[in-house]
Amino acid sequence: MEPTRRQLEEALRYLRVPVGGREEMLELARAGFAELGSCAKPRKVWGRFPLTVGERGIALGDGSVICVSRDLSRLFKNCRSCIVMAVTLGPEVDRRTQLLGRGSMSRALCLDACASVRADSLCDEIEDEVEETLREGEYLTLRFSPGYGDVPMEFTGDLLRLVDAERRIGLTMTRKGMMIPIKSVTALIGISSVPEQRRRSCDDCSFAACQYRRKGGFCHDERI
């Protein structure tokens, strides 16, 4: 599939390409998406779960899956249920990236960036599917993944178990907290009883050491 202009620009953002080197890198990004098309096997899974929100965190399902996070507590304050999603591009993307890295690091980095964009787009597809199932008076919050704000990466394992990701899409987590295949994403979206602000803002994030903040930018900035 031919990448959209926005997907190309997102890949350049992942690569932190300055304005001056943009045109040359656009061709590399196009090549990266072409490479991705020959090795990616996209798979996705999601489910809707009951949600209990406290001052210091949330509990999912029957209450046995708990995450201590003030960020999620604030984000889901108007929610009584949420969507848990997991997506992966498959193991061949990881192997192809490693193989390219032995001969051309720039091609490997481009493939890695394009794969990140494609994984995000799978999450977008799930959001579209979820919106089709919403009842009157239900609204989506922002999407939030472990590793952002104060949500620990370890919470990923709980999310994978909730949606039975290993059996359904072949996605697992190592003891050291790495997802296998690597090019995979887990995330949550709240189902709110009121319309929510869905534009990302640093005001919603407690990650003070953010590299984008230090440089005066934003992780959600679409500019290159």
Side-chain angles (χ1 to χ4, degrees):
M1 182 185 349
E2 185 71 18
T4 65
R5 181 74 182 191
R6 180 174 180 178
Q7 287 174 325
L8 289 168
E9 292 189 343
E10 279 292 293
L12 296 189
R13 185 176 69 83
Y14 274 109
L15 291 166
R16 301 183 196 174
V17 176
V19 174
R22 186 171 176 174
E23 290 307 316
E24 178 182 352
M25 292 302 293
L26 271 175
E27 293 308 311
L28 278 175
R30 288 192 179 93
F33 277 109
E35 187 90 37
L36 186 65
S38 68
C39 61
K41 302 294 183 186
R43 302 185 71 184
K44 57 189 177 182
V45 62
W46 62 273
R48 178 168 174 163
F49 298 90
L51 172 69
T52 302
V53 181
E55 290 184 3
R56 298 182 57 195
I58 65 168
L60 291 169
D62 60 5
S64 61
V65 176
I66 297 171
C67 181
V68 177
S69 165
R70 293 190 182 277
D71 284 341
L72 291 183
S73 182
R74 286 194 297 267
L75 180 63
F76 295 155
K77 64 181 179 180
N78 299 311
C79 304
R80 295 296 175 267
S81 63
C82 80
I83 301 298
V84 176
M85 66 174 69
V87 305
T88 183
L89 298 184
E92 185 56 33
V93 174
D94 300 342
R95 287 193 287 265
R96 190 74 61 90
T97 303
Q98 292 175 356
L99 182 62
L100 285 175
R102 297 172 189 169
S104 172
M105 185 55 66
S106 61
R107 288 182 63 192
L109 289 172
C110 271
L111 178 58
D112 182 80
C114 293
S116 294
V117 174
R118 181 68 181 101
D120 283 343
S121 72
L122 284 176
C123 293
D124 292 341
E125 290 174 15
I126 289 178
E127 286 198 33
D128 291 340
E129 293 173 13
V130 171
E131 285 188 321
E132 293 295 321
T133 71
L134 295 180
R135 297 184 285 270
E136 185 175 355
E138 293 185 333
Y139 309 88
L140 295 182
T141 67
L142 282 171
R143 189 166 75 221
F144 211 101
S145 289
Y148 287 93
D150 65 356
V151 182
M153 280 299 300
E154 292 77 13
F155 190 45
T156 298
D158 292 320
L159 301 184
L160 294 179
R161 286 187 287 274
L162 274 174
V163 294
D164 196 12
E166 181 174 5
R167 181 182 65 83
R168 297 174 70 182
I169 61 174
L171 176 53
T172 62
M173 188 174 184
T174 69
R175 291 181 179 178
K176 293 185 177 181
M178 177 180 293
M179 283 190 286
I180 301 296
I182 296 172
K183 278 304 167 184
S184 305
V185 176
T186 59
L188 304 98
I189 311 176
I191 307 297
S192 176
S193 59
V194 299
E196 296 281 349
Q197 168 62 258
R198 302 198 68 212
R199 177 172 173 78
R200 295 189 184 278
S201 167
C202 292
D203 294 336
D204 301 322
C205 180
S206 62
F207 187 38
C210 174
Q211 59 180 317
Y212 296 103
R213 245 186 231 182
R214 288 200 302 268
K215 296 177 181 179
F218 309 91
C219 66
H220 55 280
D221 196 342
E222 295 177 3
R223 294 171 296 175
I224 303 301

